[in-house]
Amino acid sequence: MEVLRNVTRHKLRSFLTISGIVIGVLALTTMGALAENFNALLDGGVTYFGSNIQVGPPDGQSASLLPISKIDEIKQIDGVAAAFASYGFSAKPGQITAVSFGIPDTIVAGDPAENNWAALKTTFAQGHQLDASSTGQVVLGSTIDKEFAKKIGDTIDLPVKPSDAKPDFVNHAFTVVGILNPTRTAPDTFAYINVADGQTLLKDSLPVAIRDQIDVSKITEAINVYGKPGTSLSDLDKIADRINAQVPGVKAVRPSQLVNSFKSGGAIFTAITTAAALLALIIGGLSVVNTMFMAVAERVREIGLKKAVGATTFNIMGEFLVEATLIGIVGGVVGYGLGALITIIANATTPPGQSTLFLVTPNLTILAIGFATVLGAVAGVLPAWRAARLDPVTALRNE
Amino acid sequence: MANVRLVNLTKQYKRGAEVIHALDDVTLDIEKGEFVAVVGRSGSGKTTMLDLMGLLLRPTSGSLFIDDIDTSKLGDRQLAQMRARRVGFVFQEYNLLSGLNVLENVMLPLRYVKDGRKRGAPRAVELIERVGLSDRVRHRPTELSGGQAQRVAIARSMVNSPSLILLDEPTGAVDTETAQQLVDLLKRLNQEDRVTIVIVTHDLDIAGQASRQIRLKDGRVLTDERVGAAGAGSLGVPVA
Ligand SMILES: Nc1ncnc2c1ncn2[C@@H]1O[C@H](COP(=O)(O)OP(=O)(O)O)[C@@H](O)[C@H]1O
Ligand SMILES: [Mg+2]
């Protein structure tokens, strides 16, 4: 094909041009994958927090403790279909979390039945759900499972004992009964246990002075409230308002408030992608424009000859546009390929237990390659137009 | 029906305040199948006349008919189609695209006509054979001699079966013997295909072999003689 030959005739120049696009698309792909990864994380948050109402202690109460009896009061509120006690503990207490973009390892205690209500569905890679009202069982998220390299039937001591643990530090052995599939969001770093075990851990966490005066079986840290399946976000907000009005001693957070904070987080990463795309546009676009203008300058007589044998302005324009687009496609595919390779290697070399940083989605693939293609075509328009308008006689006499 | 008809055809160039009459009020007919040599000193307007007949230039005034079509009424696209289908062009130099091989060069004009490549491929192969380059089909232009390159250009000019071939000093860069071989080839094509040939040349020996000689001076026709040596449509009668 002549177009291919034109591109390969000036190997160095084409190489440099394509490199320009490759760098741009590479930046776009890696930054985009980073943003997609965060967006997946945030989408998880939006899905989860958009599906229930978080009820905690009222403003001004420092300890995160609530009488479990509040669950029954909340269930009386109009629109509430289910409410569950919920406890959360750091799985690795005392560890200074290095700058990490993921969610820290967390022990979550709750009723396994809550999974039927949660919008963020988890599925099992191995094993099964916690047996209702059993103790000493744990279900691990995919990342935390890799971190500790546990199989079904293994035991894991939770919380993990820190190296500088105080003498009164206690933890408990749990048997792994299930391992979840990756979700790319919160559950990946979670270890799920039953309510009774959660209450045990809660007791361990209380100051020694009051530990024995409190009946932890009557206490929860938080209550997750659900409406009927399909309840809209605004209706959930209204339920939250009713809980605050009618149940004393608790504070329900409007889910839309949480959802909005996640969404504004997503906007930042969208800005990162846009910036990367802009970078690609400038670097790649200018190199294509430059190359195509050079190609036009040195093929003036060729254009004259083609016109002399019957080519129209439109034909010539088409030929140059195809060439510019081809440069764009090649640069796009190579840049995307390299970018994807980098993300694969980076993800593969992430230490187990740390959340991976990159997520290459089909949308990103289409964006990166499509972008480079359009870039090549757009950058080629001006040079192609200039080439096509050349007067054949002048062009043929060009030295 | 004249193959080409020039009526008061004029091309002027402005250079500053000066007006150059590159072609000045020329009226003449060229019949189908004629073998016409255009001669004259450098700057006399030969190339201008050929470029006008090849629709590469638009005249300043006057009209040009090809196969009785008034070309002054045609738009850019229609002119391009006329160039592709009815006229073949051979230049003195830079005739071939260096990125294409012999066959691809011959097939170049087929690109610009509908279904050209499909219908024209056998014709291209046949023409390469007729110009004696069957063993050079896949060669690049840089691997050809000057005479061979011009044969390729001639084959290319014929590929869309035009009624008219225009050659601007095609033998200017080759030796006398090679030049004669090219002229012999042109005579053969002229006779076998009844294609009209208009050749600009400085070589009086070549001009003498044409059926008609048009001599230009300062953009005007000085003499126009039919000599009857060759050409299917030649009348052998000198014209004033
Ligand atoms: N593009 C142009 N601009 C100005 N003058 C031109 C141009 N092309 C040709 N001329 C002038 O027109 C006259 C005829 O030129 P040309 O047709 O090339 O003559 P020939 O081919 O017989 O040597 C010359 O005086 C030449 O300088
Ligand atoms: Mg000339």
Side-chain angles (χ1 to χ4, degrees):
Chain A
M1 265 215 344
E2 190 191 352
V3 183
L4 275 175
R5 261 181 247 152
N6 282 333
V7 173
T8 52
R9 183 154 30 156
H10 297 279
K11 291 196 179 63
L12 182 63
R13 191 172 77 203
S14 298
F15 174 78
L16 290 176
T17 311
I18 291 173
S19 300
I21 301 179
V22 165
I23 291 167
V25 174
L26 184 93
L28 180 66
T29 308
T30 48
M31 299 301 268
L34 205 58
E36 289 285 88
N37 191 57
F38 281 114
N39 283 332
L41 207 65
L42 297 174
D43 279 350
V46 168
T47 309
Y48 178 75
F49 289 111
S51 75
N52 65 21
I53 304 161
Q54 306 274 306
V55 177
D59 295 337
Q61 178 182 324
S62 56
S64 186
L65 299 174
L66 287 174
I68 222 160
S69 61
K70 292 289 176 194
I71 291 177
D72 293 326
E73 288 181 49
I74 287 170
K75 280 182 179 167
Q76 302 306 312
I77 303 295
D78 186 28
V80 173
F84 299 94
S86 167
Y87 308 78
F89 310 93
S90 171
K92 293 192 280 190
Q95 196 191 61
I96 299 142
T97 32
V99 180
S100 157
F101 295 100
I103 296 165
D105 290 356
T106 307
I107 302 164
V108 176
D111 186 340
E114 186 178 342
N115 211 26
N116 301 330
W117 295 84
L120 195 69
K121 295 294 178 204
T122 50
T123 53
F124 284 80
Q126 292 172 52
H128 56 82
Q129 182 58 277
L130 299 171
D131 295 313
S133 68
S134 67
T135 56
Q137 293 187 344
V138 66
V139 167
L140 296 178
S142 63
T143 305
I144 196 168
D145 173 63
K146 280 203 197 71
E147 180 178 3
F148 295 102
K150 295 297 178 190
K151 303 186 300 291
I152 299 292
D154 286 355
T155 58
I156 178 169
D157 292 334
L158 289 173
V160 177
K161 184 175 186 176
S163 52
D164 59 347
K166 299 213 175 67
D168 62 345
F169 179 86
V170 278
N171 59 14
H172 306 269
F174 289 89
T175 305
V176 179
V177 297
I179 296 165
L180 298 176
N181 283 314
T183 61
R184 295 223 141 248
T185 183
D188 290 357
T189 53
F190 284 2
Y192 293 91
I193 58 175
N194 258 316
V195 171
D197 290 326
Q199 289 167 343
T200 308
L201 295 189
L202 176 62
K203 184 168 187 173
D204 293 343
S205 73
L206 293 174
V208 186
I210 59 167
R211 202 178 272 177
D212 294 320
Q213 290 151 36
I214 291 178
D215 179 4
V216 286
S217 70
K218 295 207 161 55
I219 289 187
T220 182
E221 287 193 323
I223 301 167
N224 297 340
V225 179
Y226 294 85
K228 287 199 304 290
T231 306
S232 70
L233 194 60
S234 58
D235 286 342
L236 286 176
D237 281 354
K238 286 186 193 119
I239 296 173
D241 292 345
R242 283 199 289 274
I243 292 171
N244 286 332
Q246 296 169 33
V247 182
V250 299
K251 163 85 191 245
V253 183
R254 285 172 149 222
S256 64
Q257 205 177 319
L258 293 164
V259 165
N260 288 339
S261 71
F262 276 97
K263 283 190 174 155
S264 66
I268 292 168
F269 295 112
T270 307
I272 293 177
T273 325
T274 314
L278 223 59
L279 187 74
L281 180 79
I282 292 165
I283 300 176
L286 288 182
S287 61
V288 176
V289 170
N290 181 53
T291 296
M292 293 314 291
F293 267 124
M294 281 172 71
V296 169
E298 103 201 340
R299 301 222 295 266
V300 165
R301 300 223 288 176
E302 172 181 329
I303 295 162
L305 185 63
K306 284 179 171 171
K307 284 200 150 181
V309 302
T312 58
T313 300
F314 187 76
N315 292 140
I316 301 289
M317 178 129 186
E319 287 181 18
F320 276 85
L321 271 186
V322 167
E323 202 172 313
T325 309
L326 185 78
I327 288 175
I329 293 175
V330 171
V333 169
V334 173
Y336 168 77
L338 285 179
L341 195 70
I342 288 174
T343 63
I344 289 168
I345 290 170
N347 281 351
T349 53
T350 302
Q354 266 184 36
S355 304
T356 54
L357 281 183
F358 299 99
L359 174 62
V360 176
T361 60
N363 274 346
L364 183 62
T365 307
I366 293 166
L367 176 79
I369 295 175
F371 181 80
T373 308
V374 171
L375 182 71
V378 169
V381 166
L382 200 63
W385 190 68
R386 175 137 149 211
R389 272 176 24 108
L390 281 171
D391 154 50
V393 171
T394 321
L396 274 165
R397 302 237 172 107
N398 185 282
E399 290 306 319
Chain B
M1 167 182 107
N3 191 173
V4 189
R5 168 168 289 169
L6 287 62
V7 183
N8 305 118
L9 200 65
T10 299
K11 180 70 186 179
Q12 298 173 350
Y13 291 106
K14 287 204 176 61
R15 198 179 282 155
E18 191 192 359
V19 177
I20 298 162
H21 300 269
L23 201 70
D24 195 7
D25 197 28
V26 169
T27 300
L28 57 84
D29 281 5
I30 294 171
E31 302 299 329
K32 178 140 182 64
E34 276 194 284
F35 193 122
V36 182
V38 178
V39 296
R41 289 218 192 97
S42 178
S44 59
K46 305 181 297 292
T47 297
T48 303
M49 187 168 99
L50 216 65
D51 286 350
L52 284 166
M53 296 199 320
L55 306 172
L56 297 180
L57 281 180
R58 293 251 196 191
T60 310
S61 64
S63 28
L64 172 79
F65 297 82
I66 291 179
D67 299 332
D68 281 346
I69 298 167
D70 185 355
T71 61
S72 62
K73 301 217 167 21
L74 302 179
D76 284 343
R77 267 168 179 272
Q78 289 160 308
L79 284 180
Q81 273 303 295
M82 291 278 285
R83 285 200 292 269
R85 289 173 189 278
R86 295 183 191 260
V87 189
F89 238 112
V90 177
F91 306 96
Q92 178 175 346
E93 52 179 19
Y94 199 73
N95 259 314
L96 305 180
L97 298 186
S98 57
L100 305 182
N101 66 30
V102 166
L103 179 63
E104 290 165 331
N105 265 291
V106 172
M107 289 180 69
L108 183 67
L110 298 172
R111 273 190 207 181
Y112 307 115
V113 300
K114 198 163 171 285
D115 291 335
R117 273 191 249 207
K118 231 188 304 165
R119 285 188 290 109
R123 166 102 176 139
V125 173
E126 178 211 310
L127 282 165
I128 291 170
E129 198 181 305
R130 284 174 72 186
V131 302
L133 289 173
S134 295
D135 56 343
R136 296 282 190 282
V137 171
R138 305 276 163 205
H139 282 54
R140 289 301 177 88
T142 48
E143 299 161 350
L144 301 176
S145 70
Q148 288 171 332
Q150 288 304 56
R151 286 166 184 275
V152 176
I154 290 167
R156 185 193 61 210
S157 74
M158 298 273 297
V159 77
N160 273 325
S161 309
S163 57
L164 171 70
I165 296 180
L166 306 167
L167 305 97
D168 195 357
E169 301 188 37
T171 59
V174 298
D175 60 68
T176 329
E177 200 178 322
T178 309
Q180 186 54 51
Q181 286 169 359
L182 288 175
V183 173
D184 289 341
L185 171 64
L186 290 172
K187 281 193 217 164
R188 223 170 44 239
L189 295 173
N190 173 243
Q191 239 126 50
E192 289 168 4
D193 292 31
R194 252 179 71 79
V195 59
T196 309
I197 288 180
V198 179
I199 178 171
V200 169
T201 181
H202 275 122
D203 188 330
L204 293 180
D205 188 36
I206 291 172
Q209 299 177 53
S211 63
R212 179 178 174 188
Q213 255 188 55
I214 298 172
R215 181 172 298 275
L216 296 184
K217 186 170 187 258
D218 300 332
R220 289 176 164 270
V221 177
L222 191 67
T223 59
D224 185 349
E225 304 169 12
R226 290 195 164 85
V227 288
S234 97
L235 299 170
V237 181
V239 176

